[in-house]
Structures are given as C-alpha cells and as structure tokens.
Amino acid sequence: MSELPEHVAENRRYWDAEAPKWVEGGRSLWAGDPVWGIWQIPDDEVSLLPVELSGRRVIELGCGTGYVSAWAHRRGAEVYAIDNSEAQLATARRLADEHGMADIQWVHGNAESVDQPDESFDFAVSEYGAAIWCDPDVWLPEAHRLLRPGGELAFLGNHPLAIICAEPTGAEPVGYTLERTYFGLDSVDWTEAVEDPGGIEFNRTFEAWMALFRRVGFEVLDYRELRAPTRASGVLFWTPAEWAKRFPSEQVWWLRKR
Ligand SMILES: C[S@@+](CC[C@H](N)C(=O)[O-])C[C@H]1O[C@@H](n2cnc3c(N)ncnc32)[C@H](O)[C@@H]1O
C-alpha cells in the first residue's frame, strides 16, 4: 500500500469501503443485457463493446463488480479484469461463480501498471474505472502498451462540463453555475467533500484529452456526449436527470492504437 501512488492508495481505501453498496446494482447488471453509464443507455444506441469478440483478448481496466467483463465474455472474449479493490473483486468473483463464468481472470492491482506483456490484448474497456479513477497521463500509455497495434480502447466517464458544474464540497448536485476552473482541469479530489467524502478522480479539458491521445499514439475513432433519456428522473450520482437532459453528463471515447 505504501508503494502505491497517493491517489491509488486513497481510491483503494474508498472503494474497499464502498463495495457493499455496489453489490445489488452489480448483480442486476450481470443478469441483464448491456446498458451504459448512469442513465443506462441501451447498447443499440451507444456501445463500448463490439458485438463480436470471439477469440479476442479483452482487458477491463477497473472492473468493479465485473458486469462489463461478463458482457464481453458473453460475446466470446477471453477476459482479463483488473481492479484496485479486493472487496469489489470479491463481488465480481461471486457473481462470476453464480453465472458460471469461471474463466474470467480477476486480478487485484492498479490499472496504471498491469502485470501483462506488451501487445497482449485486442481490446481494452473502462466504464467509470480507470476512465475516471486513474491518472490519464499514466493509464492511457499503459493501455496503449497493452494493446496490439490496431487494438482499440473504449472508455466512459464524466463529461468535463459536469465536473465544472459540480460543487467542490459535494454538498449540492451538479447545477447551473460554473464551480471550477476549466483550464487546467486535472485531478478532482473528493477527500474533503462534506457528502460522501473520499476518492480522487481525474478529468481533462477537450484540448488536453486530444493532445494526450496524440502524444500516446491513439487515433480517435469516435466520441459521444451522453444525454439522459426522457424517461430519466431524480438525481443519480449527484446528477439531476433534468440537468443531464440539457447538458452532457457523460462522455465516451473510442480510440485505436496507431
Ligand atoms: C464505479 S466502479 C466502475 C466499475 C464498474 N463499471 C462498476 O460500475 O461496477 C469504479 C472501480 O474502479 C476501481 N479503481 C479505482 N482506481 C483503480 C485503479 N488504480 N486501478 C484499477 N481499478 C481502479 C475501483 O476499485 C472501483 O471498483
């Protein structure tokens, strides 16, 4: 633990403590068809996973309760799933047993530094895992190293606009005022938050994401700004549905290793 970067150690502590709250949500997502992000957008509208993955090696970076890995496995992939929280992995292993998916490899570790050879995966995916909890300057080069040339990475996380409109103390949901400085957007530290304190996330400005992809050696295949569907209501993860019908609360990047 003492050798982990500070944000990784803090996020491990946070997620080990949070894990019990994620068991039931994970269970229902394991049982269903793929849906994406907090608004559960159907797979035929937005998908992080190719429909056909037979014979392909897939890595999920920050797998949590493991439902994305389960969906990739159902599409034929050989799956390696890494997570920083032993408690989250315990849920993933239990659900894999219940679903008879004994051959998914669940690995406890930091997605910024994965103990696998260069170019050993065809596809990498992260939904709110490494995508938001790892330092992009570190995890994106690592994902690039792990992919074979032409291999692809898809990741989903908070839209920068939602972070800019989130009150830094976490006391209020995402709102209609700009609460943070956009330029220089980097780590988003919730350890001092009054509501649900803990965890250190990351995000970037669009310019910085694009520059980083170029520097690391990824080309952008596609980009989507997710909108809450009309059926959505209430506040999910500090984000009011009514806000997310007007502004993008989530983003998805699809990249290919050059
Ligand atoms: C919200 S979950 C996302 C996973 C999955 N989509 C889900 O919702 O269950 C966030 C996960 O990222 C993991 N995580 C945070 N930092 C990580 C790191 N450095 N390496 C690997 N996983 C990490 C946490 O342990 C947690 O299980």
Side-chain angles (χ1 to χ4, degrees), residues 30 57-58 69-70 73-74 76-81 96-97 99-106:
W30 266 80
R57 279 204 89 208
V58 171
S69 288
H73 183 273
R74 276 187 209 138
E78 184 192 320
V79 182
Y80 179 100
D97 271 359
H99 287 263
M101 292 192 196
D103 53 337
I104 298 179
Q105 219 180 325
W106 305 105

Side-chain angles (χ1 to χ4, degrees), residues 8 11 15 22 60-68 82-85 88 109-112 127-130 133-134:
V8 179
N11 291 339
W15 276 102
W22 290 72
E60 186 180 2
L61 299 159
C63 63
T65 58
Y67 51 83
V68 174
I82 184 167
D83 200 278
N84 190 32
S85 159
Q88 287 275 81
N110 173 10
E112 295 176 353
E127 189 216 31
Y128 282 114
W133 299 99
C134 289

